[in-house]
Amino acid sequence: MQRYFLTKEAFKGETVTLPSDVVHHIGTVLRQGPGYEMVLLDGTGVEYACVVTSLEKKSGEAKVMSSRQATTELPIEVTLAYALPKGDKVELVAQKATELGVHHLLLFESTRSVAKWDGKKAPKKVERIQKIMQEAAEQSYRAVVPTCTYISPKELQQKIDGYDAVVIAYEESAKEGEQSAFAQLLTQLKPKQRVLVITGPEGGFDVNEINQWTQAGATACAFGPRILRSETAPLYALSAISFALELNRSYENG
Amino acid sequence: MQRYFLTKEAFKGETVTLPSDVVHHIGTVLRQGPGYEMVLLDGTGVEYACVVTSLEKKSGEAKVMSSRQATTELPIEVTLAYALPKGDKVELVAQKATELGVHHLLLFESTRSVAKWDGKKAPKKVERIQKIMQEAAEQSYRAVVPTCTYISPKELQQKIDGYDAVVIAYEESAKEGEQSAFAQLLTQLKPKQRVLVITGPEGGFDVNEINQWTQAGATACAFGPRILRSETAPLYALSAISFALELNRSYENG
């Protein structure tokens, strides 16, 4: 069933006014009209089963039939801090990370990031990524749309203190045969806790970056013994978090 | 350190004759010569620490300094059967699946596959994918190069019997809230056992396909409560297998 995110304010009564992009999608793209059933989401985790009651060229209304708390969100809140990679990999990661349940995407320029986003470029890029994440959230049955923010390395450093656990994907840990830090860390998490996963650019992290973050309480981890590409490590982390906390009943959250 | 796959036959003595593509890469791409240290692999799981002893324009030799069994392969043998997706997603999945440890990639046309590979097209496509997988295997520190084969749906059906466990990624299982089959199945695997993971095209699997496979012993599983895209499900499966069997010590293989 088609799913659309609206603003929270749209759900004040039994009747919902449909925004113009949703009207366009239902009427022009799907060629549907009154009687069409769909799911509308308020972005806070509630989903509404709705039916279109009227649809004109530029306006439309739907009636709320029922509502319920969505069950498609990860039991913990995951923030991914992804060091700017080359090219359009960041868009791939934004889309896939949304499907896999990420809540916040922080993009930052790490020491070895080749890509540079100057002051003018960043807002446009973030806007585009935010749109990709909204579409991915609708398609993957998410109940909230993850956020995307561009931050400085200094801001990232300051944020580390605010999480219940901070994981760094570090390829030197993989080469050294480190094999259990990430799994151990996940066993200790309780529902609703906040986790930050930091993953690097093509060249990996500089040892000074790793030291700064670990001194602030982060843990350098291997995601298996193989060396993963920049865009693969975040997807491994999120898949593993879902597996451990949503499918594996031996974990606290499972 | 740079890694190259050679044939098994290349490692008969202490001196290894370098094939022309490796000679070209060392000499022209990396601008290195005698004295250059690298890792050569025989594709069966052994890695050789080597040093270049001579390098001409089209030929070269290296000396084996030491050898050891590689430790970068998954403890079980994973085959991914991926229903042909649209466009070049199959190349993305081949690359990422290699990084994540897959051993065999089987491509097949499922009921809802939009892409069609006719008799002429398949061998060329497979050759290209095999090349992508070799490069990904070298970059990700794999010790074997996974294979890629194009098979018919009938051949896939016949193969199901030959595995210790067969997992189908089924989005209807996700929608119904199925949450533990995949994790339970992984707990029962012993080292070196063979697992087949079957994942679908954009439109998902037809219920008849699911029935045929489950009647042959396969298990329909959800990979978390969200609906994953065609190219995301295989990466989830492989990441979860690595996490469960390589990082998580509570599993048989861990």
Side-chain angles (χ1 to χ4, degrees):
Chain A
M1 198 173 283
Q2 193 68 43
R3 298 164 72 91
Y4 301 103
F5 281 100
L6 271 57
T7 59
K8 198 185 160 189
E9 290 69 37
F11 301 88
K12 288 217 168 125
E14 274 196 8
T15 301
V16 178
T17 301
L18 299 172
S20 59
D21 56 335
V22 173
V23 168
H24 174 79
H25 196 261
I26 296 172
T28 309
V29 180
L30 302 178
R31 293 168 187 264
Q32 298 290 335
Y36 181 66
E37 291 177 23
M38 68 207 161
V39 174
L40 300 180
L41 301 125
D42 70 357
T44 70
V46 183
E47 52 183 47
Y48 298 83
C50 295
V51 58
V52 175
T53 48
S54 70
L55 201 79
E56 304 298 326
K57 200 160 170 56
K58 302 215 166 181
S59 66
E61 284 188 347
K63 192 180 163 193
V64 175
M65 310 305 283
S66 63
S67 69
R68 62 168 193 173
Q69 194 66 34
T71 55
T72 53
E73 293 300 313
L74 283 172
I76 58 169
E77 190 185 305
V78 183
T79 299
L80 170 66
Y82 183 32
L84 286 188
K86 286 186 206 163
D88 54 6
K89 282 179 205 162
V90 64
E91 298 184 4
L92 178 81
V93 168
Q95 185 192 65
K96 301 279 158 264
T98 301
E99 292 173 57
L100 295 166
V102 79
H103 290 95
H104 308 286
L105 175 62
L106 305 176
L107 299 170
F108 70 105
E109 193 182 299
S110 76
T111 308
R112 295 189 193 149
S113 284
V114 176
K116 311 275 171 201
W117 288 8
D118 57 28
K120 281 178 213 157
K121 219 171 173 180
K124 259 196 155 167
K125 292 264 192 187
V126 166
E127 193 185 334
R128 183 171 158 73
I129 289 164
Q130 193 66 64
K131 204 167 166 230
I132 289 170
M133 292 173 90
Q134 169 151 350
E135 283 170 8
E138 287 171 348
Q139 287 186 5
S140 61
Y141 283 49
R142 291 287 303 272
V144 302
V145 180
T147 61
C148 177
T149 318
Y150 182 68
I151 60 170
S152 69
K154 200 178 157 191
E155 286 170 305
L156 176 62
Q157 181 71 32
Q158 289 164 347
K159 277 176 174 287
I160 287 180
D161 239 7
Y163 293 89
D164 297 298
V166 180
V167 174
I168 312 163
Y170 191 38
E171 65 175 35
E172 295 306 323
S173 298
K175 288 177 187 165
E176 284 161 16
E178 186 285 306
Q179 279 188 50
S180 56
F182 183 44
Q184 276 175 20
L185 192 141
L186 290 186
T187 59
Q188 289 154 16
L189 289 173
K190 292 181 180 49
K192 312 253 179 212
Q193 283 196 321
R194 300 174 71 235
V195 175
L196 174 66
V197 177
I198 310 178
T199 70
E202 288 77 10
F205 286 124
D206 183 272
V207 70
N208 291 328
E209 291 176 303
I210 298 286
N211 289 344
Q212 274 180 15
W213 296 327
T214 51
Q215 276 161 24
T219 308
C221 299
F223 292 167
R226 291 163 298 283
I227 304 302
L228 303 180
R229 284 179 179 235
S230 156
E231 71 276 22
T232 314
L235 311 184
Y236 183 107
L238 286 158
S239 300
I241 289 171
S242 162
F243 177 79
L245 305 186
E246 295 184 317
L247 302 188
N248 189 335
R249 295 300 164 132
S250 66
Y251 277 78
E252 181 89 28
N253 283 279
Chain B
M1 201 174 279
Q2 194 68 41
R3 298 164 74 90
Y4 302 104
F5 281 99
L6 270 58
T7 60
K8 198 185 160 187
E9 291 68 37
F11 300 89
K12 290 216 167 126
E14 272 196 10
T15 301
V16 178
T17 302
L18 299 172
S20 58
D21 57 334
V22 173
V23 169
H24 173 78
H25 195 261
I26 296 171
T28 310
V29 180
L30 302 178
R31 295 167 184 263
Q32 299 289 335
Y36 181 67
E37 292 178 22
M38 67 207 160
V39 174
L40 299 179
L41 300 124
D42 70 358
T44 72
V46 183
E47 52 183 46
Y48 298 81
C50 296
V51 58
V52 175
T53 47
S54 70
L55 201 79
E56 304 297 326
K57 200 162 168 59
K58 301 213 167 182
S59 66
E61 284 187 345
K63 191 179 164 196
V64 174
M65 309 305 284
S66 64
S67 68
R68 63 168 192 170
Q69 195 65 35
T71 55
T72 53
E73 293 300 313
L74 282 172
I76 58 168
E77 190 185 306
V78 182
T79 300
L80 170 64
Y82 183 32
L84 287 187
K86 287 186 206 163
D88 55 6
K89 282 178 205 162
V90 64
E91 297 185 4
L92 177 82
V93 168
Q95 185 192 65
K96 301 278 157 266
T98 301
E99 292 172 59
L100 294 166
V102 80
H103 291 95
H104 308 287
L105 175 62
L106 305 176
L107 299 170
F108 70 104
E109 193 183 299
S110 76
T111 308
R112 295 190 193 148
S113 283
V114 176
K116 311 275 172 200
W117 287 7
D118 58 26
K120 282 177 213 157
K121 217 170 174 179
K124 259 198 154 167
K125 291 264 192 188
V126 166
E127 193 185 331
R128 183 171 159 72
I129 288 165
Q130 193 67 64
K131 205 169 165 229
I132 289 170
M133 291 173 91
Q134 168 150 352
E135 284 170 7
E138 287 171 348
Q139 287 186 5
S140 61
Y141 283 48
R142 291 287 303 271
V144 303
V145 182
T147 61
C148 177
T149 319
Y150 182 67
I151 61 170
S152 69
K154 201 178 158 189
E155 286 170 304
L156 177 62
Q157 180 71 32
Q158 289 163 347
K159 276 176 175 287
I160 286 181
D161 241 6
Y163 292 89
D164 297 297
V166 180
V167 174
I168 313 163
Y170 191 37
E171 65 174 33
E172 296 306 323
S173 299
K175 288 178 188 166
E176 285 161 13
E178 185 286 305
Q179 280 187 52
S180 56
F182 184 44
Q184 275 175 22
L185 193 142
L186 290 185
T187 58
Q188 288 154 18
L189 290 173
K190 291 182 180 47
K192 310 253 180 215
Q193 283 197 321
R194 300 173 71 235
V195 175
L196 173 65
V197 177
I198 311 178
T199 70
E202 288 78 7
F205 286 124
D206 183 273
V207 68
N208 291 327
E209 290 175 305
I210 298 287
N211 289 343
Q212 275 180 16
W213 296 328
T214 53
Q215 276 160 27
T219 308
C221 299
F223 291 168
R226 291 162 298 281
I227 304 303
L228 303 180
R229 285 178 180 236
S230 156
E231 70 276 20
T232 313
L235 312 184
Y236 183 106
L238 286 158
S239 301
I241 289 170
S242 162
F243 177 79
L245 305 186
E246 295 184 318
L247 302 188
N248 189 336
R249 294 299 164 132
S250 65
Y251 278 77
E252 182 88 25
N253 282 278

